[in-house]
Amino acid sequence: MQLSLEELRNLFKTLEAGGVAEFEYQDEKYRVKVGLARPPAVVAVPAPARSSPLGSPAPVAARAVDDDLVAVTSPFVGTFYRAPSPDLANFVEVGSVVRPGQALCIVEAMKLMNEIEAEISGTIVDILVENGKSVEYGQKLFTIRKS
């Protein structure tokens, strides 16, 4: 299998235009698996349901649903890093105030370091992935309380 750089670019454009998140090709000599980058998705995260002391769900009226919480998810498969390098401070911590465009972390995919940025203003409520761990496409990385 011999692809020119232009053929490879055209393949990626075609996959992206078709909404394909992952592509895998294998023959006798080669195996190629690609996860395509997508903008980070921001989805609402409901607060967990509380249980009564007997273990049954609490009545609906007693559940706290917080519409101000959103999750930042991974746009592709890769490795999650909290800092730009091991000797530098983390991009954010729980309690950090963020604004749109501010870097939250890096997800390394196919040897490329991709900064994941905040799309909203708010405060980091939870960091859901450990530094250096693998993440999947769509996996929740952070919870942010909108401001």
Side-chain angles (χ1 to χ4, degrees):
M1 178 172 93
Q2 184 70 22
L3 287 177
S4 71
L5 184 57
E6 187 61 32
E7 290 171 319
L8 192 57
R9 283 187 181 132
N10 288 335
L11 174 62
F12 287 147
K13 286 179 186 175
T14 302
L15 293 172
E16 187 174 43
V20 176
E22 291 185 10
F23 171 76
E24 187 170 349
Y25 170 81
Q26 184 172 348
D27 64 17
E28 303 81 41
K29 273 181 105 175
Y30 300 98
R31 180 172 185 253
V32 177
K33 185 173 183 179
V34 178
L36 299 175
R38 297 227 170 131
V42 177
V43 294
V45 178
R50 293 180 283 167
S51 294
S52 72
L54 300 175
S56 59
V60 173
R63 287 193 182 143
V65 176
D66 194 339
D67 292 331
D68 289 336
L69 291 180
V70 294
V72 177
T73 61
S74 180
F76 34 77
V77 175
T79 304
F80 175 85
Y81 295 107
R82 293 190 57 201
S85 71
D87 56 332
L88 294 176
N90 293 334
F91 287 106
V92 295
E93 300 290 346
V94 171
S96 295
V97 176
V98 297
R99 64 189 185 296
Q102 181 178 343
L104 302 174
C105 66
I106 290 175
V107 175
E108 177 187 4
M110 296 177 50
K111 304 292 182 198
L112 295 174
M113 300 297 187
N114 303 281
E115 281 190 359
I116 307 302
E117 298 177 345
E119 291 188 1
I120 61 167
S121 295
T123 303
I124 302 292
V125 174
D126 203 3
I127 300 170
L128 304 168
V129 181
E130 288 184 48
N131 191 50
K133 297 293 182 182
S134 295
V135 294
E136 297 294 324
Y137 170 76
Q139 181 176 343
K140 294 175 185 173
L141 306 174
F142 299 92
T143 305
I144 300 175
R145 181 175 308 282
K146 293 189 277 185
S147 56

